[in-house]
Amino acid sequence: MRREFSAGGVVVRRMRGRWFAAIVRPRREQHRPQAWALPKGLIDPGERGPETAVREVFEETGVRAAIDRKLGDVRYVYTWDGERIFKVVSFFLLRAKGGRIGVLPPGMEIEVAEARWVPLDDAPSILSYGGEKQMARKALEVLAEGSS
């Protein structure tokens, strides 16, 4: 079974006294259902997970961010062109440092239809994938502890 390794992030910022997270709606074929996801992507050769998370967050949201800490890994198996693939996605908590949500680098609009800020406490109910819902809940726990 082929293996893939990706990294992504729960990128947060404080607005109006609440934590908000950046989420994305990947561009999909018309027949596939709309989904909301955390920004993430394949780890490039020579890159480490945290570097990938920072790069992918910027490419998919337009937000520049810095790593706070690792939140955890999501593991799953999927099928692509008849081949089963075991995938591990490492997720990190990131703090927004600049940029503008939805203002994507040239060419990224082919991957991302929309990027937006949502209240972090609403993110688990908005995100489409179980593992990503879990990472949003973990980010909430970490931020509530006040130890970050």
Side-chain angles (χ1 to χ4, degrees), residues 64-84:
R64 295 195 185 282
I67 295 287
D68 182 305
R69 69 186 65 194
K70 185 172 182 178
L71 291 171
D73 295 328
V74 174
R75 294 171 173 83
Y76 57 94
V77 176
Y78 72 97
T79 302
W80 183 264
D81 265 349
E83 181 181 16
R84 303 218 358 112

Side-chain angles (χ1 to χ4, degrees), residues 3 11 18 31 49 51 60 81 83 85 87 93 106 118 121 128-129 136-137 139 142:
R3 297 174 182 269
V11 58
R18 294 176 75 187
H31 67 281
E51 296 163 344
E60 294 189 0
D81 265 349
E83 181 181 16
I85 300 165
K87 183 155 189 156
L93 177 63
V118 298
D121 47 353
S128 300
Y129 307 112
R137 284 191 289 271
V142 167

